[in-house]
Amino acid sequence: MAITEEKVIRYKTSNSFEFFIRYFFKELHGRRFVMNDHHNQMIEILEKVINGEITRLIINIAPRYSKTEIAVKNFIAFCLALNSKAKFIHLSYSDTLALDNSEEIKDFIQSDQFQRLYDVKIKADSKSKKKWYTVDGGGVYATSAGGQVTGFGAGKVENDDEEIDDFMSYIETARGFGGAIVIDDPIKPDDADSDTIREKINNRFDSTIRSRTNSRKTPIIIVMQRLHPEDLSGYLLDVEASKWHVLSLPVIKDDGTALWPFKHTIEELLDLQNANESVFKRQRL
C-alpha cells in the first residue's frame, strides 16, 4: 500500500491533538496557530480526558486565551474524527454563543480539508444548530447553561463487560471515546454578582446537566473565567472538590511573568490591573 501525504497527515492528526489543532487551524484560517505553554497544558489535560484518566475537569482561564478554540471547537471535532459515534452536549451562558460554536464545529467537520482525511458524515436532515447528528449516531446538542436539555445524552452507554487494557495505544483508546458534556463560560460576566442567576446556574447543573450523561464514565468539562467565589467553579469546588481536577491558568503566573506574552505582555497586564483592579481580578485571574 502506497504511503501518501494524506495518509501521513491523517496518522499525525489522529495521534496528536496538538498537531490536529495546528494543521486544521492553518488549513481553515490560512495562518498558523500561535502555540504557547498554556495551550499545551490544556491539550495535555484534555488528552487525559480522552484517555479516561479524568472524568471531571475544570479549566479556569481568562477570556480570549483560546479556551473555546481548543477545549470546545477543536476538542469536539478531534473526538468526532476518531469516533463518529461520540455524543456531546455543549453549553454556554447564552443560546447564541452555544449555537455559534455548534455551527462552527459542524462547518469544521464538513470542510473539504477535514473530509479529505476523515470519513465523518453529518446526516442530511441535520439542519439545526441546536442538535445535529452524524450518520453513525454521534453528534452535538447545544444550548444555554440555564436552558433545557431534552432527548439527548452525552457519551456512550456504559458496558460493564467492556474494559480497556493497559497496553492499548492512545489512538485505540481515543477511538473508543464516547463524548462529553462541555461547558464554556456558564455565566455571563454581567450576571456574576446576581445571587439569583448564580444559584439558578448552579442548581441547573445539579438538577439537569449532570444527569444528561449516558454513563458514570462520561466526562464533564467546564472551561470558564472565574467571576465570583460562588460561580459554578467555586460552587463545585466547595461541595465536591475531591471529584474535580482543576487546571488554573492565571494571566500573571506565580513567577510574575505573563501567561501569554503574544496576547498580553506583563507591562500591559499590570496597566490593566492598575486601571481597574476589581475587574482584572475577577476576569483575568
Side-chain angles (χ1 to χ4, degrees):
M1 181 182 294
I3 300 176
T4 64
E5 181 181 3
E6 285 187 0
K7 287 178 181 177
V8 172
I9 294 172
R10 179 185 170 105
Y11 177 83
K12 293 177 73 173
T13 55
S14 297
N15 282 272
S16 169
F17 185 28
E18 178 186 348
F19 188 84
F20 180 95
I21 294 168
R22 288 181 182 273
Y23 176 79
F24 281 110
F25 192 87
K26 180 71 179 294
E27 286 290 304
L28 296 175
H29 301 287
R31 63 186 189 278
R32 70 185 182 91
F33 189 96
V34 181
M35 195 69 69
N36 186 59
D37 181 61
H38 79 282
H39 297 130
N40 290 322
Q41 289 184 65
M42 285 194 286
I43 289 166
E44 181 180 353
I45 205 164
L46 288 166
E47 287 182 323
K48 289 183 177 180
V49 172
I50 294 171
N51 280 334
E53 299 174 51
I54 295 173
T55 58
R56 296 293 180 268
L57 173 64
I58 293 172
I59 300 176
N60 290 141
I61 187 170
R64 312 304 301 170
Y65 273 65
S66 309
K67 64 181 178 61
T68 303
E69 188 69 32
I70 289 178
V72 180
K73 299 173 188 176
N74 275 274
F75 178 73
I76 294 175
F78 178 66
C79 294
L80 284 169
L82 299 181
N83 179 12
S84 58
K85 296 179 181 179
K87 293 183 178 180
F88 293 87
I89 292 175
H90 171 51
L91 308 172
S92 189
Y93 65 76
S94 78
D95 262 345
T96 300
L97 288 175
L99 296 180
D100 284 349
N101 289 338
S102 174
E103 184 174 40
E104 287 194 40
I105 296 164
K106 190 199 292 189
D107 289 344
F108 189 158
I109 290 170
Q110 292 180 314
S111 68
D112 292 339
Q113 295 89 335
F114 188 96
Q115 290 294 315
R116 280 201 305 268
L117 301 178
Y118 293 100
D119 186 26
V120 181
K121 304 301 181 187
I122 293 174
K123 291 181 68 174
D125 59 353
S126 285
K127 305 296 184 183
S128 171
K129 299 178 187 179
K130 181 177 284 290
K131 183 167 62 176
W132 51 267
Y133 292 95
T134 68
V135 295
D136 296 316
V140 173
Y141 187 111
T143 189
S144 69
Q148 295 293 326
V149 180
T150 57
F152 199 100
K156 64 180 180 180
V157 177
E158 186 174 286
N159 181 354
D160 292 334
D161 296 328
E162 183 180 278
E163 296 181 356
I164 298 177
D165 295 329
D166 292 338
F167 63 81
M168 289 185 72
S169 69
Y170 170 74
I171 185 64
E172 289 173 313
T173 306
R175 281 178 175 152
F177 183 71
I181 294 177
V182 183
I183 304 172
D184 182 19
D185 281 335
I187 189 167
K188 189 177 180 181
D190 292 345
D191 295 334
D193 287 327
S194 168
D195 292 344
T196 301
I197 296 177
R198 283 198 321 274
E199 289 175 7
K200 177 184 177 182
I201 298 300
N202 296 344
N203 290 336
R204 177 72 68 183
F205 181 87
D206 282 333
S207 65
T208 303
I209 295 172
R210 69 164 81 236
S211 68
R212 302 312 301 179
T213 58
N214 282 332
S215 84
R216 63 177 62 87
K217 294 179 182 179
T218 299
I220 300 177
I221 302 165
I222 300 171
V223 190
M224 64 179 292
Q225 57 176 312
R226 290 303 308 270
L227 294 169
H228 190 279
E230 297 173 2
D231 58 19
L232 184 57
S233 285
Y235 168 72
L236 291 172
L237 294 178
D238 182 52
V239 300
E240 51 183 36
S242 63
K243 296 182 180 180
W244 291 86
H245 189 107
V246 181
L247 176 62
S248 180
L249 297 166
V251 291
I252 298 180
K253 299 190 290 186
D254 291 341
D255 62 4
T257 60
L259 179 66
W260 193 16
F262 176 82
K263 185 71 175 180
H264 292 112
T265 65
I266 187 61
E267 292 78 16
E268 290 170 332
L269 291 170
L270 292 175
D271 285 344
L272 289 169
Q273 186 177 29
N274 292 331
N276 194 325
E277 186 169 2
S278 61
V279 171
F280 179 87
K281 189 172 183 180
R282 282 175 35 161
Q283 297 193 16
R284 299 285 175 182
L285 293 176

